[in-house]
Coordinates of all heavy atoms in Angstrom, one line a residue:
M1 N 0.8 -1.2 0.0 CA 0.0 0.0 0.0 C 0.9 1.2 0.0 O 2.0 1.2 0.3 CB -0.9 0.0 1.2 CG -0.4 0.1 2.5 SD -1.5 -0.1 3.9 CE -1.9 -1.8 3.7
S2 N 0.4 2.3 -0.4 CA 1.1 3.5 -0.3 C 1.2 4.1 1.0 O 0.5 3.6 1.9 CB 0.6 4.5 -1.4 OG -0.7 5.1 -1.0
L3 N 2.0 5.2 1.1 CA 2.0 5.9 2.4 C 1.2 7.1 2.3 O 0.9 7.5 1.2 CB 3.5 6.2 2.7 CG 4.4 5.0 2.8 CD1 5.9 5.4 2.8 CD2 4.1 4.1 4.0
K4 N 1.0 7.8 3.4 CA 0.3 9.1 3.4 C 1.0 9.9 4.5 O 1.7 9.5 5.4 CB -1.2 8.9 3.7 CG -1.5 8.4 5.1 CD -3.0 8.4 5.4 CE -3.3 7.9 6.8 NZ -4.7 7.8 7.0
I5 N 0.8 11.2 4.4 CA 1.3 12.2 5.3 C 0.1 12.7 6.1 O -0.8 13.2 5.5 CB 2.1 13.3 4.6 CG1 3.3 12.7 3.9 CG2 2.5 14.4 5.6 CD1 4.2 13.7 3.0
T6 N 0.3 12.7 7.4 CA -0.9 13.2 8.3 C -0.8 14.7 8.6 O 0.2 15.3 8.2 CB -0.8 12.3 9.6 OG1 0.3 12.8 10.4 CG2 -0.9 10.9 9.4
D7 N -1.7 15.2 9.2 CA -1.9 16.6 9.6 C -0.8 16.9 10.6 O -0.6 18.1 10.9 CB -3.2 17.0 10.2 CG -4.3 16.9 9.1 OD1 -4.0 17.0 8.0 OD2 -5.4 16.7 9.5
D8 N 0.1 16.0 11.1 CA 1.1 16.3 12.1 C 2.3 16.8 11.4 O 3.3 17.2 12.0 CB 1.5 15.0 12.8 CG 0.4 14.5 13.8 OD1 -0.5 15.4 14.2 OD2 0.3 13.4 14.1
C9 N 2.3 16.8 10.0 CA 3.3 17.3 9.2 C 3.7 18.7 9.5 O 2.9 19.6 9.7 CB 3.0 17.2 7.7 SG 4.2 17.9 6.6
I10 N 5.1 18.9 9.7 CA 5.6 20.3 10.1 C 6.1 21.1 8.9 O 6.8 22.1 9.0 CB 6.5 20.3 11.3 CG1 7.7 19.4 11.0 CG2 5.8 19.8 12.5 CD1 8.8 19.5 12.0
N11 N 6.0 20.5 7.7 CA 6.5 21.1 6.5 C 8.0 21.4 6.5 O 8.5 22.5 6.1 CB 5.8 22.4 6.1 CG 4.4 22.1 5.7 OD1 4.2 21.4 4.8 ND2 3.5 22.9 6.2
C12 N 8.8 20.4 7.0 CA 10.2 20.6 7.3 C 10.9 20.4 6.0 O 12.2 20.6 5.9 CB 10.7 19.7 8.3 SG 10.6 18.0 8.0
D13 N 10.3 19.7 4.9 CA 10.9 19.6 3.6 C 12.0 18.5 3.5 O 12.7 18.4 2.6 CB 11.5 20.9 3.1 CG 11.8 20.9 1.6 OD1 11.0 20.3 0.9 OD2 12.8 21.4 1.2
V14 N 12.1 17.6 4.5 CA 13.2 16.5 4.4 C 12.6 15.3 3.7 O 13.5 14.6 3.1 CB 13.7 16.1 5.9 CG1 14.4 17.3 6.4 CG2 12.6 15.5 6.8
C15 N 11.4 15.1 3.6 CA 10.9 13.9 3.0 C 10.9 13.9 1.5 O 11.2 12.9 0.8 CB 9.5 13.5 3.5 SG 8.2 14.8 3.2
E16 N 10.5 15.1 0.9 CA 10.4 15.2 -0.5 C 11.5 14.8 -1.3 O 11.4 14.0 -2.3 CB 9.9 16.7 -0.8 CG 9.4 16.9 -2.3 CD 10.5 17.4 -3.2 OE1 11.5 18.1 -2.5 OE2 10.5 17.2 -4.4
P17 N 12.7 15.3 -1.0 CA 13.8 15.0 -1.9 C 14.3 13.4 -1.6 O 15.1 13.0 -2.5 CB 15.0 15.8 -1.4 CG 14.6 16.4 -0.1 CD 13.1 16.4 0.0
E18 N 13.9 12.8 -0.7 CA 14.3 11.5 -0.4 C 13.4 10.5 -1.2 O 13.8 9.3 -1.4 CB 14.0 11.1 1.1 CG 14.9 11.8 2.1 CD 16.4 11.6 1.8 OE1 16.7 10.4 1.5 OE2 17.2 12.5 1.9
C19 N 12.3 10.9 -1.8 CA 11.4 10.0 -2.6 C 12.0 9.7 -4.0 O 12.0 10.5 -4.7 CB 10.0 10.6 -2.7 SG 8.9 9.4 -3.5
P20 N 12.4 8.4 -4.2 CA 13.0 8.1 -5.5 C 12.0 8.1 -6.6 O 12.4 8.2 -7.8 CB 13.5 6.7 -5.3 CG 12.7 6.1 -4.2 CD 12.3 7.2 -3.3
N21 N 10.7 8.1 -6.3 CA 9.7 8.1 -7.4 C 9.1 9.4 -7.6 O 8.1 9.6 -8.5 CB 8.6 7.1 -7.0 CG 9.1 5.7 -6.9 OD1 10.0 5.3 -7.7 ND2 8.5 4.8 -6.1
G22 N 9.4 10.4 -6.8 CA 8.8 11.7 -6.9 C 7.4 11.8 -6.5 O 6.6 12.6 -7.1
A23 N 7.0 10.9 -5.6 CA 5.6 10.8 -5.2 C 5.2 11.8 -4.1 O 4.0 12.1 -3.9 CB 5.4 9.5 -4.5
I24 N 6.1 12.6 -3.6 CA 5.9 13.5 -2.5 C 6.0 15.0 -3.1 O 7.0 15.3 -3.8 CB 6.8 13.3 -1.3 CG1 6.8 12.0 -0.8 CG2 6.6 14.5 -0.2 CD1 7.7 11.7 0.4
S25 N 5.0 15.8 -2.8 CA 5.0 17.2 -3.2 C 4.3 18.1 -2.1 O 3.6 17.6 -1.4 CB 4.2 17.4 -4.7 OG 3.0 17.0 -4.5
Q26 N 4.6 19.4 -2.3 CA 3.9 20.3 -1.4 C 2.5 20.4 -1.8 O 2.2 20.7 -2.9 CB 4.6 21.6 -1.5 CG 4.1 22.7 -0.7 CD 4.3 22.4 0.9 OE1 5.3 22.0 1.4 NE2 3.1 22.5 1.6
G27 N 1.6 20.1 -0.8 CA 0.1 20.4 -1.0 C -0.2 21.8 -0.6 O 0.7 22.6 -0.4
E28 N -1.4 22.0 -0.5 CA -1.9 23.4 0.0 C -1.5 23.7 1.4 O -1.0 24.9 1.6 CB -3.4 23.4 -0.1 CG -4.0 23.5 -1.5 CD -5.5 23.7 -1.6 OE1 -6.0 24.4 -0.7 OE2 -6.1 23.2 -2.5
E29 N -1.5 22.8 2.3 CA -1.2 23.1 3.7 C 0.1 22.3 4.2 O 1.0 22.7 4.9 CB -2.2 22.9 4.6 CG -3.4 23.8 4.4 CD -4.4 23.7 5.4 OE1 -4.3 23.2 6.5 OE2 -5.6 24.1 5.1
I30 N 0.2 21.0 3.7 CA 1.2 20.1 4.1 C 1.7 19.3 2.9 O 1.0 19.4 1.8 CB 0.8 19.1 5.2 CG1 -0.3 18.2 4.7 CG2 0.4 19.8 6.5 CD1 -0.8 17.1 5.7
Y31 N 2.8 18.5 3.0 CA 3.3 17.7 2.0 C 2.2 16.6 1.8 O 1.5 16.1 2.7 CB 4.6 17.1 2.2 CG 5.7 18.1 1.9 CD1 6.1 19.1 2.8 CD2 6.3 18.1 0.7 CE1 7.1 20.1 2.5 CE2 7.3 19.0 0.4 CZ 7.6 20.0 1.3 OH 8.6 20.9 1.0
V32 N 2.1 16.1 0.5 CA 1.2 15.0 0.1 C 2.0 14.0 -0.6 O 3.0 14.2 -1.3 CB 0.0 15.5 -0.6 CG1 -0.8 16.4 0.2 CG2 0.5 16.2 -1.9
I33 N 1.4 12.7 -0.6 CA 2.0 11.7 -1.4 C 1.0 11.2 -2.4 O -0.1 10.9 -2.1 CB 2.4 10.5 -0.4 CG1 3.5 10.9 0.6 CG2 2.9 9.2 -1.3 CD1 3.8 9.9 1.7
D34 N 1.4 11.1 -3.6 CA 0.6 10.5 -4.7 C 0.6 9.0 -4.7 O 1.7 8.5 -4.9 CB 1.2 11.1 -6.0 CG 0.4 10.7 -7.2 OD1 -0.5 9.8 -7.1 OD2 0.6 11.2 -8.3
P35 N -0.5 8.5 -4.3 CA -0.5 7.0 -4.3 C -0.3 6.3 -5.5 O 0.2 5.1 -5.5 CB -1.9 6.7 -3.7 CG -2.8 7.8 -4.1 CD -1.8 9.0 -4.1
K36 N -0.4 6.9 -6.7 CA -0.1 6.4 -8.0 C 1.4 6.2 -8.2 O 1.9 5.4 -9.0 CB -0.7 7.2 -9.1 CG -2.2 7.1 -9.1 CD -2.7 7.9 -10.2 CE -4.2 8.1 -10.1 NZ -4.7 9.1 -11.0
L37 N 2.2 7.1 -7.4 CA 3.7 6.9 -7.6 C 4.4 6.3 -6.4 O 5.5 5.9 -6.5 CB 4.3 8.4 -7.8 CG 3.8 9.1 -9.1 CD1 4.3 10.5 -9.1 CD2 4.3 8.3 -10.3
C38 N 3.7 6.2 -5.3 CA 4.3 5.6 -4.1 C 4.5 4.1 -4.1 O 3.4 3.4 -4.3 CB 3.5 6.0 -2.8 SG 4.3 5.4 -1.3
T39 N 5.7 3.6 -4.0 CA 5.8 2.1 -4.0 C 6.5 1.7 -2.6 O 7.0 0.7 -2.5 CB 6.9 1.8 -5.0 OG1 8.1 2.3 -4.9 CG2 6.3 2.1 -6.4
E40 N 6.4 2.6 -1.5 CA 7.1 2.4 -0.3 C 8.5 2.1 -0.4 O 9.1 1.3 0.2 CB 6.4 1.3 0.5 CG 5.0 1.5 0.9 CD 4.3 0.3 1.6 OE1 5.0 -0.2 2.5 OE2 3.2 -0.1 1.3
C41 N 9.1 2.6 -1.5 CA 10.5 2.5 -1.9 C 10.9 1.0 -2.4 O 12.0 0.7 -2.5 CB 11.4 2.9 -0.8 SG 11.5 4.8 -0.6
V42 N 9.8 0.2 -2.5 CA 10.0 -1.1 -3.1 C 10.7 -1.0 -4.5 O 10.4 -0.1 -5.3 CB 8.8 -2.0 -3.3 CG1 8.9 -3.2 -4.1 CG2 8.2 -2.2 -1.9
G43 N 11.8 -1.7 -4.7 CA 12.6 -1.6 -5.9 C 13.8 -0.7 -5.7 O 14.7 -0.8 -6.5
H44 N 13.7 0.2 -4.8 CA 14.7 1.1 -4.6 C 15.5 0.8 -3.3 O 16.8 0.8 -3.3 CB 14.3 2.6 -4.4 CG 13.7 3.1 -5.8 ND1 14.5 3.5 -6.8 CD2 12.4 3.3 -6.1 CE1 13.7 4.0 -7.8 NE2 12.5 3.8 -7.4
Y45 N 14.8 0.7 -2.2 CA 15.4 0.6 -0.9 C 14.6 -0.5 -0.1 O 13.5 -0.9 -0.4 CB 15.3 1.9 -0.1 CG 16.1 3.0 -0.7 CD1 15.3 4.0 -1.4 CD2 17.4 3.0 -0.7 CE1 15.9 5.1 -2.0 CE2 18.1 4.2 -1.3 CZ 17.3 5.1 -2.0 OH 17.9 6.1 -2.6
D46 N 15.1 -1.0 1.1 CA 14.5 -1.9 1.9 C 13.4 -1.3 2.7 O 12.5 -2.0 3.2 CB 15.5 -2.6 2.8 CG 16.5 -3.5 2.1 OD1 16.0 -4.0 1.0 OD2 17.6 -3.8 2.6
E47 N 13.5 0.0 3.0 CA 12.5 0.7 3.9 C 12.1 2.0 3.2 O 13.0 2.6 2.5 CB 13.1 0.9 5.2 CG 13.4 -0.3 6.0 CD 14.0 0.0 7.4 OE1 14.5 1.2 7.6 OE2 14.1 -0.9 8.1
P48 N 10.9 2.5 3.4 CA 10.6 3.8 2.9 C 11.5 4.9 3.5 O 11.6 5.1 4.7 CB 9.1 4.0 3.4 CG 8.5 2.6 3.7 CD 9.8 1.8 4.2
Q49 N 12.1 5.6 2.6 CA 13.1 6.7 3.0 C 12.4 7.8 3.6 O 13.0 8.4 4.5 CB 13.9 7.0 1.7 CG 14.7 5.9 1.2 CD 15.7 5.3 2.1 OE1 16.6 5.9 2.4 NE2 15.4 4.1 2.6
C50 N 11.2 8.2 3.2 CA 10.5 9.3 3.8 C 10.3 9.0 5.3 O 10.4 9.9 6.1 CB 9.3 9.7 3.0 SG 8.0 8.3 3.0
Q51 N 9.8 7.9 5.6 CA 9.6 7.5 7.0 C 10.9 7.6 7.9 O 10.8 7.9 9.0 CB 9.1 6.1 7.1 CG 7.6 5.9 6.7 CD 7.1 4.5 6.8 OE1 7.8 3.5 6.8 NE2 5.8 4.4 7.2
Q52 N 12.0 7.1 7.2 CA 13.3 7.2 7.9 C 13.7 8.6 8.3 O 14.4 8.8 9.3 CB 14.3 6.5 7.0 CG 14.1 5.1 6.7 CD 13.9 4.2 8.0 OE1 14.7 4.2 8.9 NE2 12.7 3.5 8.0
V53 N 13.4 9.5 7.5 CA 13.9 10.9 7.7 C 12.9 11.9 8.4 O 13.3 12.9 8.9 CB 14.4 11.6 6.4 CG1 15.5 10.8 5.8 CG2 13.3 11.8 5.4
C54 N 11.7 11.5 8.5 CA 10.6 12.3 9.0 C 10.8 12.5 10.6 O 10.9 11.5 11.3 CB 9.3 11.7 8.9 SG 7.9 12.7 9.5
P55 N 11.0 13.7 11.0 CA 11.3 14.0 12.4 C 10.1 13.9 13.4 O 10.3 13.8 14.6 CB 11.9 15.4 12.4 CG 11.2 16.1 11.3 CD 11.1 15.0 10.2
V56 N 8.8 13.9 12.8 CA 7.7 13.8 13.6 C 6.8 12.5 13.4 O 5.8 12.5 13.9 CB 6.8 15.1 13.4 CG1 7.5 16.3 13.9 CG2 6.3 15.3 12.0
D57 N 7.4 11.6 12.7 CA 6.8 10.4 12.4 C 5.3 10.4 12.0 O 4.4 9.9 12.6 CB 6.8 9.5 13.7 CG 6.6 8.0 13.5 OD1 6.8 7.5 12.4 OD2 6.1 7.4 14.4
C58 N 5.0 11.2 10.9 CA 3.7 11.5 10.4 C 3.5 10.8 9.1 O 2.7 11.2 8.3 CB 3.5 13.0 10.3 SG 4.5 13.8 9.1
I59 N 4.2 9.7 8.8 CA 4.0 9.1 7.5 C 3.7 7.6 7.6 O 4.5 6.7 7.5 CB 5.2 9.3 6.5 CG1 5.7 10.7 6.4 CG2 5.0 8.7 5.2 CD1 7.0 11.0 5.7
P60 N 2.4 7.3 7.9 CA 2.0 6.0 8.2 C 1.5 5.3 6.8 O 1.5 5.9 5.7 CB 0.8 6.1 9.1 CG 0.2 7.3 8.7 CD 1.3 8.2 8.3
L61 N 1.3 3.9 6.9 CA 0.6 3.3 5.7 C -0.8 3.9 5.5 O -1.5 4.3 6.4 CB 0.4 1.8 6.0 CG 1.9 1.1 6.1 CD1 1.5 -0.4 6.5 CD2 2.6 1.2 4.7
D62 N -1.1 4.0 4.2 CA -2.4 4.6 3.9 C -3.5 3.3 3.6 O -3.4 2.7 2.6 CB -2.3 5.3 2.5 CG -3.6 6.0 2.1 OD1 -4.7 5.7 2.7 OD2 -3.6 6.7 1.1
E63 N -4.3 3.2 4.6 CA -5.2 2.0 4.6 C -6.2 2.1 3.5 O -6.8 1.0 3.2 CB -5.8 1.9 6.0 CG -5.0 1.7 7.2 CD -4.2 0.4 7.2 OE1 -4.8 -0.6 6.7 OE2 -3.1 0.3 7.7
T64 N -6.3 3.2 2.8 CA -7.3 3.2 1.7 C -6.7 2.8 0.4 O -7.3 2.8 -0.6 CB -7.9 4.7 1.6 OG1 -6.9 5.6 1.3 CG2 -8.5 5.0 2.9
N65 N -5.3 2.7 0.4 CA -4.6 2.2 -0.8 C -3.8 1.0 -0.6 O -2.6 1.0 -0.5 CB -3.7 3.3 -1.4 CG -4.5 4.5 -1.9 OD1 -5.1 4.3 -2.9 ND2 -4.3 5.7 -1.3
V66 N -4.5 -0.2 -0.4 CA -3.8 -1.4 0.0 C -3.2 -2.1 -1.3 O -3.9 -2.3 -2.2 CB -4.8 -2.4 0.6 CG1 -4.2 -3.7 1.0 CG2 -5.4 -1.8 1.9
E67 N -1.9 -2.4 -1.2 CA -1.2 -3.1 -2.2 C -0.3 -4.0 -1.6 O 0.3 -3.9 -0.5 CB -0.4 -2.1 -3.1 CG -1.3 -1.1 -3.9 CD -0.5 0.0 -4.5 OE1 0.1 0.8 -3.7 OE2 -0.4 0.0 -5.6
T68 N 0.0 -5.2 -2.2 CA 0.9 -6.1 -1.9 C 2.3 -5.8 -2.3 O 2.5 -4.9 -3.2 CB 0.6 -7.6 -2.5 OG1 0.7 -7.5 -3.9 CG2 -0.8 -8.1 -2.1
K69 N 3.4 -6.4 -1.8 CA 4.7 -6.1 -2.3 C 4.8 -6.5 -3.7 O 5.6 -5.7 -4.4 CB 5.8 -7.0 -1.4 CG 5.8 -6.6 0.1 CD 6.4 -5.2 0.2 CE 6.5 -4.9 1.7 NZ 7.0 -3.5 1.9
D70 N 4.2 -7.5 -4.1 CA 4.2 -7.8 -5.6 C 3.7 -6.7 -6.4 O 4.2 -6.3 -7.5 CB 3.5 -9.1 -5.8 CG 4.3 -10.3 -5.5 OD1 5.5 -10.2 -5.3 OD2 3.8 -11.4 -5.3
Q71 N 2.5 -6.1 -6.0 CA 1.8 -5.1 -6.8 C 2.8 -3.8 -6.7 O 2.9 -3.1 -7.6 CB 0.5 -4.8 -6.1 CG -0.6 -5.8 -6.4 CD -1.8 -5.6 -5.6 OE1 -1.8 -5.3 -4.4 NE2 -2.9 -5.6 -6.3
L72 N 3.4 -3.6 -5.6 CA 4.3 -2.4 -5.4 C 5.5 -2.6 -6.3 O 5.9 -1.6 -7.0 CB 4.7 -2.2 -4.0 CG 3.8 -1.8 -3.0 CD1 4.3 -1.8 -1.6 CD2 3.2 -0.4 -3.3
M73 N 6.0 -3.8 -6.5 CA 7.1 -4.0 -7.4 C 6.7 -3.8 -8.9 O 7.4 -3.3 -9.7 CB 7.6 -5.5 -7.2 CG 8.8 -5.8 -8.2 SD 10.3 -4.7 -8.1 CE 11.1 -5.3 -6.6
Q74 N 5.5 -4.3 -9.2 CA 5.0 -4.1 -10.6 C 4.8 -2.5 -10.9 O 5.2 -2.1 -11.9 CB 3.6 -4.8 -10.7 CG 3.7 -6.3 -10.8 CD 4.7 -6.7 -12.0 OE1 4.5 -6.2 -13.1 NE2 5.5 -7.6 -11.6
K75 N 4.4 -1.8 -9.9 CA 4.2 -0.3 -10.0 C 5.6 0.3 -10.3 O 5.8 1.1 -11.1 CB 3.5 0.3 -8.8 CG 3.2 1.8 -9.0 CD 2.7 2.4 -7.8 CE 1.7 1.8 -6.9 NZ 1.3 2.8 -5.8
Y76 N 6.6 -0.2 -9.4 CA 8.0 0.3 -9.5 C 8.5 0.1 -10.9 O 9.1 0.9 -11.6 CB 8.9 -0.4 -8.5 CG 10.2 -0.4 -8.9 CD1 11.1 0.7 -8.6 CD2 11.0 -1.5 -9.4 CE1 12.4 0.8 -9.0 CE2 12.3 -1.5 -9.7 CZ 13.1 -0.3 -9.5 OH 14.4 -0.3 -9.8
L77 N 8.3 -1.2 -11.5 CA 8.7 -1.5 -12.8 C 8.2 -0.6 -13.8 O 8.8 -0.1 -14.9 CB 8.5 -3.0 -13.1 CG 9.3 -3.9 -12.2 CD1 8.8 -5.4 -12.6 CD2 10.7 -3.8 -12.5
I78 N 6.8 -0.2 -13.7 CA 6.2 0.6 -14.6 C 6.7 2.1 -14.6 O 7.1 2.7 -15.6 CB 4.6 0.6 -14.4 CG1 4.1 -0.8 -14.7 CG2 3.9 1.8 -15.2 CD1 2.6 -1.0 -14.4
I79 N 7.0 2.5 -13.4 CA 7.4 3.9 -13.1 C 8.8 4.1 -13.7 O 9.1 5.0 -14.3 CB 7.4 4.2 -11.6 CG1 5.9 4.4 -11.2 CG2 8.1 5.6 -11.3 CD1 5.8 4.5 -9.6
T80 N 9.7 3.1 -13.4 CA 11.1 3.2 -13.8 C 11.2 3.0 -15.4 O 12.2 3.5 -15.9 CB 12.0 2.3 -13.0 OG1 11.5 0.9 -13.2 CG2 12.0 2.6 -11.5
A81 N 10.3 2.3 -15.9 CA 10.4 2.1 -17.4 C 10.0 3.4 -18.1 O 10.5 3.7 -19.2 CB 9.4 1.0 -17.9
K82 N 9.2 4.3 -17.4 CA 8.9 5.5 -18.1 C 10.0 6.6 -17.9 O 9.9 7.6 -18.5 CB 7.6 6.0 -17.5 CG 6.3 5.2 -17.8 CD 5.1 5.7 -17.1 CE 3.9 4.8 -17.5 NZ 2.7 5.3 -16.8
A83 N 10.8 6.3 -16.9 CA 11.8 7.4 -16.6 C 13.0 7.4 -17.6 O 13.2 6.7 -18.4 CB 12.4 7.1 -15.2

C-alpha cells in the first residue's frame, strides 16, 4: 500500500527529496504523497526513505490504498520504465 502524510506534518521539507519516485510534493497546507507513484520504496530501498527521515513520524501506511509487495514491485517497474 502507499504511504500518506498526516496533519502532524511540520513542512520541514526533508521527505520530498528522499522519494525516489517523485511521489511527494507540497500540498496546499502540508506535503502530500501521490498513491499512484508511491511504492514504499520497493525496488529502490528496503525501507521507505521518507519514514526514515521524518522527524515527527507522520508518514503511516495509507489503509485506503492497499497493495501487496508484488503489486508495489509491478508499479515500480512501470514507473522506472517511463523514466
Side-chain angles (χ1 to χ4, degrees):
M1 68 186 69
S2 70
L3 302 169
K4 67 178 180 180
I5 298 176
T6 68
D7 291 338
D8 294 332
C9 176
I10 59 172
N11 289 312
C12 66
D13 195 37
V14 297
C15 62
E16 189 266 335
E18 295 299 319
C19 181
N21 297 326
I24 301 174
S25 61
Q26 179 65 49
E28 288 186 31
E29 294 183 25
I30 60 172
Y31 279 85
V32 294
I33 296 177
D34 182 346
K36 294 177 185 170
L37 295 175
C38 180
T39 62
E40 293 180 49
C41 289
V42 167
H44 294 284
Y45 303 103
D46 292 334
E47 298 178 344
Q49 298 301 288
C50 60
Q51 286 181 329
Q52 299 301 308
V53 299
C54 181
V56 293
D57 195 26
C58 69
I59 308 175
L61 292 173
D62 184 355
E63 300 292 332
T64 63
N65 289 297
V66 178
E67 295 169 293
T68 66
K69 291 291 182 188
D70 287 338
Q71 289 171 314
L72 292 170
M73 180 56 82
Q74 288 303 313
K75 189 189 314 185
Y76 159 78
L77 294 172
I78 291 168
I79 292 168
T80 56
K82 292 179 183 178

